[in-house]
Every structure is written in structure tokens, then in C-alpha cells.
């Protein structure tokens, strides 16, 4: 079912979203200072192509630089991208068939609002944080 949803998503929303994020990433690569946001744009573009079966988690150990970078992103791009995903999500949820696509737009809100310090992982992993070792006791 995930594959079918991803193919339909790719046709109706994903290709355009991924293209937009990829272009934004290329623009960010024009200046050396904005390369971290360009990398985040490319990561979001891949997620926008195939969102079903993946989720966004916060990366442990993301420090103060990620927080400051997210504040800059929030002011210049995050708010507008988030509002666009919310509007598209509401629009898709108005129809019964579009509800999964609306939910996919809502899943993209956290990563479009603050992309630094986040990672995209498979949803079927019971504990996505397994990659960073055992939980602190």
C-alpha cells in the first residue's frame, strides 16, 4: 500500500515539491554560508519524493549551531514553507481520497519549519534512535 501511495503522491504532489526544494538547495549552494541549508533542502527534497514509510526524528547531539541555523531558516523560509504545507494539507483533507496526502503534508511541517538537527528515518523502525546507541539511564 505504501508503494501505491508513494507513486500517487509522486504524480500529484511529490515531484513538484521535490523540484522546488532542490532548486532552493541549489540557490543555497551559491553562497558558502548557506550550504547547511542547501543540504537540508536536498534532504527534504528526497523526503518529498517518497514520504510514505518514512518519518522525521530529532537528531540527538544537534547543538547550538543547529538551533541558531533553524532560527535563521524560520525567519527567511520556514514560516512560508510551513504555511504552504498546512494549506495544502487542509486542501487535500477536504476530500476522502486526499486524506493520506494531506497527512503527508502535515508530516512535512516539522522538517520544513526547522530542518537542521533532524533526520529522516524509516517508519518501521521501532526505535529510530537505535543508531546513536543505548538510551541514557
Amino acid at each position: 500500500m505504501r508503494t501505491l501511495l508513494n507513486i500517487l503522491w509522486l504524480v500529484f504532489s511529490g515531484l513538484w515539491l521535490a523540484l522546488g526544494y532542490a532548486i532552493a538547495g541549489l540557490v543555497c549552494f551559491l553562497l558558502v554560508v548557506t550550504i547547511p541549508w542547501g543540504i537540508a533542502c536536498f534532504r527534504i527534497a528526497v523526503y518529498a519524493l517518497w514520504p510514505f514509510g518514512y518519518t522525521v526524528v530529532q537528531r540527538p547531539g544537534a547543538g547550538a549551531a543547529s538551533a541558531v541555523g533553524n532560527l535563521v531558516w524560520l525567519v527567511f523560509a520556514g514560516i512560508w514553507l510551513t504555511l504552504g504545507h498546512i494549506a495544502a494539507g487542509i486542501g487535500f483533507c477536504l476530500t476522502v481520497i486526499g486524506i493520506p496526502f494531506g497527512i503527508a503534508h502535515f508530516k512535512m511541517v516539522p522538517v520544513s519549519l526547522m530542518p537542521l538537527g533532524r533526520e529522516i528515518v524509516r517508519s518501521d523502525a521501532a526505535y529510530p534512535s537505535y543508531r546513536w546507541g543505548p538510551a541514557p539511564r
Side-chain angles (χ1 to χ4, degrees):
M1 189 65 168
R2 265 189 289 207
T3 305
L4 177 63
L5 285 173
N6 277 322
I7 291 170
L8 290 172
W9 168 266
L10 184 69
V11 171
F12 291 115
S13 242
L15 191 59
W16 299 110
L17 277 174
L19 186 64
Y21 277 112
I23 291 171
L26 289 173
V27 169
C28 287
F29 268 85
L30 291 177
L31 298 172
V32 174
V33 177
T34 57
I35 287 177
W37 293 288
I39 293 169
C41 285
F42 288 128
R43 187 174 48 238
I44 297 169
V46 171
Y47 183 49
L49 277 176
W50 212 253
F52 294 100
Y54 293 91
T55 189
V56 177
V57 296
Q58 198 141 3
R59 185 180 323 172
S66 291
V68 172
N70 279 332
L71 287 176
V72 172
W73 174 270
L74 182 70
V75 171
F76 290 105
I79 292 173
W80 309 111
L81 290 170
T82 300
L83 289 175
H85 283 298
I86 290 172
I90 290 171
F92 274 112
C93 284
L94 291 176
T95 65
V96 174
I97 294 172
I99 290 174
F101 304 121
I103 292 171
H105 272 288
F106 293 139
K107 278 178 43 179
M108 294 188 76
V109 166
V111 74
S112 67
L113 188 63
M114 295 189 176
L116 301 177
R118 298 190 185 261
E119 188 171 351
I120 298 161
V121 296
R122 292 192 60 84
S123 296
D124 56 359
Y127 299 99
S129 62
Y130 72 92
R131 299 173 66 189
W132 299 286
R137 296 177 190 248

